[in-house]
Amino acid sequence: MSARKIIIDTDPGQDDAVAILLALASPDELDVLGITAVAGNVPLALTSKNARIICELAGKTETKVFEGCDRPMGRKLVTAEHVHGKTGLNGPVLPDPVMPLQDQHGVDFIIETLRAHDARTVTLCPLGPLTNIGAAFEKAPDIIEKVQEIVLMGGAYFEVGNITPAAEFNIYVDPQAADIVFKSGVPIVVMPLDVTHKALVTKPRNDAFRGLNTKVGTAVAEMTDFFERFDKEKYGSDGAPLHDPCVTAYLIQPDLFTGRHINVEIETESELTMGMTVADWWGVTDRAPNALFVGDVDSDGFFSLLTERLSRL
Ligand code: RIB
Ligand code: CA
């Protein structure tokens, strides 16, 4: 079976970095057509720099990296240095990138790529705020029906908010873009906090990364050592939740995950609940299902897949 064509849209972020490494380590399953950076965890200049740092760490400097939008569609940018550190990749000391940024704007790359490929053959993998995707759908509505699937990290139901009491960060930063995406009609798979909070880098798992004795394994261990502080303090978690790698792992081994096809709508009016993913998990409305909302993961299976793939870089 040929590798699945994907575009990774990302705001690195240590967990984005691990998701990108997992994708680049899996060329038999995933053909990364390009990586589009978006403002989110840290400003765009840093997310586009970090995306290239990760490609170079993986030894995949031929990967095309684009800069997308530097702010949400209709709100002030909110960033998350309190979680990811000032650079967005705090933890390991990694060299500045040498590989170039592509000249084309990330939104135009998404549009051009979808127009150039057969319908339903390109999957979009947003790992940050949905600004680039929402902007592409607004600028070129013709591409919407060409998207094979959107597999995204974002939202929450039982886990409620991590940036406000009601909202998860990626959706909160750009609720308007998220609303466009969830109303688009494109098949969507959602990796919410409900499942990503079960993908925790416990000490044995982090030791397994370090035990690879490779540049990549050590860098990932150092990233998660840094990144875990926020969740340990806030949730008393056993380790850093690997949010974004759930997207890549799903694309490689979907049977690690379980969820429900339900209706998910985005709060875009009330400041109190702005960016909340109103997920009809219990089917109490007659609103049509528009997403596979993932609630569980075989976390041991997830980490053995991840660790084995990282060992290939
Ligand atoms: O809420 C977690 C999400 O927000 C992750 O994608 C993390 O990288 C940040 O973007
Ligand atoms: Ca992210």
Side-chain angles (χ1 to χ4, degrees), residues 167-208:
E168 177 279 327
F169 179 79
N170 287 342
I171 309 297
Y172 176 71
V173 170
D174 200 336
Q176 265 175 293
D179 193 41
I180 290 169
V181 169
F182 277 80
K183 285 180 178 161
S184 68
V186 173
I188 298 177
V189 178
V190 183
M191 292 289 164
L193 297 178
D194 302 62
V195 65
T196 68
H197 279 177
K198 296 172 183 172
L200 299 178
V201 187
T202 57
K203 184 162 180 344
R205 290 166 175 167
N206 211 30
D207 291 346

Side-chain angles (χ1 to χ4, degrees), residues 9-11 36-48 66-79 105-107 129 131-132 135 173-174:
D9 189 71
T10 180
D11 64 335
T36 50
V38 67
N41 285 321
V42 287
L44 180 66
L46 283 172
T47 58
S48 61
F66 301 80
E67 275 198 342
C69 299
D70 65 358
R71 74 201 64 188
M73 293 183 93
R75 290 172 66 83
K76 225 166 73 52
L77 176 63
V78 171
T79 53
H105 191 284
V107 170
T131 314
N132 288 340
V173 170
D174 200 336

